[in-house]
Amino acid sequence: MLFTLKNLSKQRWSWLLLAASALSLELCALYFQHVMLLEPCVMCIYERIPMIGIILSGLLGASAPHNIVLRLSAFLLWAVSAVWGLLLAIEHTDYQFNPSPFATCDFFPNFPSWAPLHEWMPWLFNPTGDCSEIVWQFLGYSMPQWLIVSFSIYIALFAVVAFFALLGAKK
């Protein structure tokens, strides 16, 4: 078991599994938006970006799992995306459970002028909902609360896989 964990980051299937899990969550978000007609808010849109970062990290790691530079880049992208996503989900949950007229999310996304994602791909990045409104729950948890769970799992998996990758590197 330890031998397998040491080499997990060098296996293409593990990186593809990471990408597939994040892609499935992203597809769920699109299902909620386009089939169930739940309107995503600005925070929902912002939370999609770190999830896409996790998809990209999985694809990057899978592209050449034995290449140390690409593998380290994939690890870095995975860690940054998971932590960033967790922080956004926590902020979004705060908007929902502590609504205040003084602390609200933006009406329009604040993307850089050189990358107006909401104009390039409005079907994916155009917010139309209210951040403080809870429009969906499962087992008593709202969508951003489930994202806290998801991003926390990604962080925990990162810690385990990175730890054993470092352990395997020290021979």
Side-chain angles (χ1 to χ4, degrees), residues 2 4 34 46 69 96 104:
L2 187 61
T4 306
H34 296 290
Y46 290 163
V69 173
Q96 288 185 337
T104 61

Side-chain angles (χ1 to χ4, degrees), residues 42-157:
V42 169
M43 292 302 293
C44 296
I45 298 303
Y46 290 163
E47 289 157 352
R48 288 180 182 184
I49 296 169
M51 196 63 73
I52 291 170
I54 293 173
I55 295 169
L56 294 175
S57 71
L59 295 176
L60 182 62
S63 69
H66 290 286
N67 181 316
I68 187 70
V69 173
L70 287 179
R71 194 167 65 246
L72 289 176
S73 298
F75 269 123
L76 180 64
L77 182 57
W78 178 4
V80 168
S81 296
V83 170
W84 182 30
L86 177 62
L87 295 174
L88 287 169
I90 290 169
E91 181 181 351
H92 190 178
T93 301
D94 187 52
Y95 286 140
Q96 288 185 337
F97 291 100
N98 301 305
S100 167
F102 305 108
T104 61
C105 65
D106 298 328
F107 290 111
F108 301 102
N110 191 14
F111 293 123
S113 60
W114 51 268
L117 299 177
H118 60 296
E119 294 173 10
W120 294 346
M121 293 180 281
W123 57 273
L124 183 62
F125 294 114
N126 189 35
T128 54
D130 178 10
C131 293
S132 62
E133 187 178 346
I134 299 174
V135 296
W136 178 89
Q137 285 188 318
F138 179 67
L139 299 176
Y141 292 107
S142 67
M143 205 168 302
Q145 287 177 305
W146 281 110
L147 283 173
I148 290 172
V149 171
S150 300
F151 285 120
S152 296
I153 290 170
Y154 283 125
I155 291 168
L157 287 172

